[in-house]
Amino acid sequence: MSATRRSVLTGGLGLLGLGALSACGGGARPVGPRSAAVASTEAARHARGLVTTSLRAAPATVDLGGVVVDTWAFGDTVPGPTLRVDAGQVLRVDVRNDLPADTSVHWHGIRLRNDMDGVPMMTQDAIRPGGAFRYEFTVPDPGTYFFHPHVGVQLDRGLYGVLVVEDPHEPGRYDDEWVLVLDDWVDGTGRTPDDVLAGLTTGSGSADASGGHGMGGSMSGMGGMGSGGMGGMSGGGGDVVYPHYLVNGRVPDDPDVLRARPGDRIRLRVVNAASDTVFRLSLDGHHLTVTHSDGWPVEPVKGDALLIAMGERYDLLVTLGDGAFPLTATPEGKDGQALALVRTASGTPSASAAATTTFGTVLSLESLRPLAGTTLAARESDRTHDLALSGSMNPYRWTINGRSFPDTDPLEVRSSERVSLAVSNMSMMVHPFHLHGHTFSVRGSGVRKDTVLLRPMQRLVLDLDADNPGQWAAHCHNAYHAETGMMTTLGYVT
Ligand code: C2O
Ligand code: CU
């Protein structure tokens, strides 16, 4: 599969921008990333103020807390730098590519101008080794976001960082704010993510592919993929066994230590930057209150743990007790754990990490209700697209409506339409479905999100207003699923 995919990826921008779309457009013309509609939509955002920074993607040797790995990173840290900007400002980031491979930077969750979305073949040409690209765009909405390349499985290296968009009008009812980035880690431990991908696609890496070992044929109808044991989410176990799970770039043996005073109210900005792992997050001895999902405010809801899929972000509030408490992120259906330590006093942690195996109320999409004023206006759909997510382990290939990207059919939309995406997971694996450049409203609750986890055989209808012209990726945020085909384009046409 790599040969086909790679030859596509090394072509020019025109290939997908025109070829794939006009093939299905039936006379309709695609609204390209450099069209006037994109420029005028950006102008209408009336940005105020400019924040400038730079990123350098390069090979780096990184200490994950006693585990030293050679990887690719932004700067020489994992995660990369946390960028901060106020909603309504323009963010300008000069990116330099010192990797031995093409790359790009995608601003995950941001409703930005299409030509700055960072998807090679869809919105820009890849940044060549030794090359550079200036990203510059208005950041319209407050919230917790992140950035990562949109090339191959580079997300599964150390190439990610958090983008915090502050709300200048927010009262800020908390004493401090912590960013927590969760990740599954393999790079530099004897295998690179490209090796893992090759193992999956050639079948030679069956020892690396827990879900895939010996499981040929279609995914449909296969049960029990998630070997998570008690309480594990069915089908959540992913395809890749990782030697390490990280919070803020640290393994549990030498974790990140977050310090505060007893009684402090802390806002946690949690990002799941993993490529193949859904996590269950909890802070020992504490309730967590979800306040935002994918940047959007929700009715505050309290629980004991939170399920967070790849590409999702949650903001949580927690009032800290007196002591030292493990904050754990347990991978669904996999062995191992990610850990950070929260400290408001000296002394030994309240519980050993391994002891945190039971959960009370586990918060997930179903627990969320939108905050008043954040819902999409009621309106009939002008257009509905059905998406069936499926695939097979042998050969390793993932599909939308039976086709693998770049051969998937683009989802045509026109500006100003109300569009509904009816997404059906026809497999026994979980898939976090992510749409670029928009947020959708999950029909039923009306919660606004840009990344939503579909459980095995689950169907969700996602409503959105087509108000951001261009060509937008829509895909599973499992990096290995997306790279082997579970991706399409939400393509504006005129
Ligand atoms: Cu976080 Cu298309 O990506
Ligand atoms: Cu998937």
Side-chain angles (χ1 to χ4, degrees):
M1 101 79 225
S2 310
T4 320
R5 185 67 204 286
R6 207 138 280 153
S7 59
V8 167
L9 286 173
T10 51
L13 180 61
L15 185 67
L16 188 139
L18 300 173
L21 282 159
S22 59
C24 317
R29 289 205 322 255
V31 178
R34 286 170 205 152
S35 65
V38 171
S40 63
T41 304
E42 174 72 355
R45 292 186 177 111
H46 301 296
R48 296 194 316 169
L50 173 70
V51 174
T52 63
T53 187
S54 61
L55 291 171
R56 175 175 171 260
T61 302
V62 176
D63 183 354
L64 305 175
V67 178
V68 177
V69 293
D70 291 325
T71 185
W72 296 353
F74 290 118
D76 46 16
T77 62
V78 174
T82 295
L83 307 183
R84 285 181 188 268
V85 59
D86 282 350
Q89 288 184 315
V90 170
L91 178 61
R92 176 193 292 165
V93 187
D94 284 306
V95 175
R96 182 174 168 78
N97 180 11
D98 286 326
L99 300 170
D102 288 0
T103 195
S104 73
V105 178
H106 166 58
W107 310 93
H108 179 114
I110 303 285
R111 302 196 293 172
L112 45 46
R113 55 183 301 161
N114 186 236
D115 53 345
M116 295 292 141
D117 194 42
V119 183
M121 303 313 309
M122 226 177 265
T123 68
Q124 67 168 100
D125 288 322
I127 313 171
R128 302 275 184 238
F133 189 89
R134 170 172 288 182
Y135 291 92
E136 184 166 341
F137 52 89
T138 306
V139 182
D141 307 307
T144 303
Y145 303 89
F146 76 127
F147 54 91
H148 61 77
H150 223 280
V151 173
V153 288
Q154 290 181 10
L155 169 64
D156 209 11
R157 307 244 183 188
L159 291 166
Y160 58 81
V162 173
L163 170 56
V164 173
V165 184
E166 315 265 12
D167 183 349
H169 306 296
E170 199 186 64
R173 286 183 291 257
Y174 45 89
D175 299 300
D176 203 356
E177 174 189 298
W178 296 339
V179 170
L180 297 166
V181 192
L182 315 179
D183 195 15
D184 46 16
W185 191 273
V186 62
D187 199 22
T189 64
R191 290 178 294 158
T192 66
D194 289 315
D195 295 335
V196 172
L197 179 65
L200 289 166
T201 53
T202 64
S204 67
S206 53
D208 303 340
S210 60
H213 188 46
M215 290 182 157
S218 166
M219 298 300 299
S220 301
M222 283 201 305
M225 297 286 297
S227 53
M230 298 287 287
M233 178 180 53
S234 168
D239 299 347
V240 182
V241 172
Y242 287 86
H244 304 291
Y245 296 95
L246 314 179
V247 179
N248 293 347
R250 312 291 293 180
V251 297
D253 281 347
D254 188 4
D256 195 14
V257 180
L258 304 152
R259 292 173 200 278
R261 292 160 308 190
D264 274 357
R265 217 160 125 86
I266 309 288
R267 178 182 194 157
L268 307 177
R269 295 182 180 268
V270 188
V271 176
N272 184 350
S275 287
D276 182 68
T277 305
V278 177
F279 286 102
R280 198 175 281 225
L281 182 86
S282 64
L283 175 59
D284 190 64
H286 292 75
H287 297 295
L288 303 170
T289 300
V290 175
T291 60
H292 299 73
S293 171
D294 296 350
W296 287 80
V298 296
E299 282 291 344
V301 55
K302 193 183 268 198
D304 300 294
L306 169 73
L307 209 58
I308 177 169
M310 302 85 90
E312 279 191 305
R313 292 91 57 212
Y314 282 95
D315 291 19
L316 309 167
L317 278 179
V318 60
T319 303
L320 296 178
D322 191 351
F325 310 96
L327 181 145
T328 54
T330 306
E332 287 289 300
K334 299 180 179 188
D335 296 328
Q337 197 165 54
L339 174 78
L341 197 60
V342 172
R343 240 187 209 300
T344 61
S346 55
T348 45
S350 56
S352 80
T356 315
T357 52
T358 53
F359 303 92
T361 314
V362 181
L363 302 170
S364 64
L365 175 67
E366 290 72 26
S367 324
L368 305 181
R369 298 291 172 269
L371 199 67
T374 66
T375 51
L376 214 54
R379 182 179 160 186
E380 289 282 297
S381 297
D382 298 301
R383 189 192 287 268
T384 298
H385 287 293
D386 292 302
L387 289 81
L389 310 182
S390 192
S392 67
M393 295 302 289
N394 189 12
Y396 189 82
R397 177 173 172 263
W398 295 94
T399 57
I400 297 178
N401 295 337
R403 291 165 168 268
S404 296
F405 190 80
D407 297 323
T408 38
D409 294 322
L411 311 168
E412 267 187 13
V413 301
R414 288 175 192 268
S415 273
S416 306
E417 287 181 336
R418 171 62 57 85
V419 176
S420 300
L421 305 178
V423 188
S424 301
N425 181 357
M426 303 306 289
S427 76
M428 294 310 291
M429 304 283 288
V430 299
H431 302 288
F433 180 79
H434 172 54
L435 174 64
H436 289 208
H438 301 74
T439 58
F440 44 75
S441 165
V442 181
R443 197 175 291 177
S445 67
V447 167
R448 305 292 293 272
K449 287 184 71 65
D450 56 67
T451 309
V452 75
L453 184 69
L454 284 113
R455 297 168 190 256
M457 306 310 287
Q458 187 181 8
R459 178 174 185 271
L460 290 174
V461 180
L462 313 174
D463 298 309
L464 63 107
D465 282 334
D467 57 4
N468 198 10
Q471 303 300 315
W472 301 101
H475 61 92
C476 175
H477 220 276
N478 181 309
Y480 295 91
H481 295 186
E483 181 59 13
T484 59
M486 195 175 273
M487 167 140 62
T488 187
T489 312
L490 182 87
Y492 284 64
V493 297
T494 51

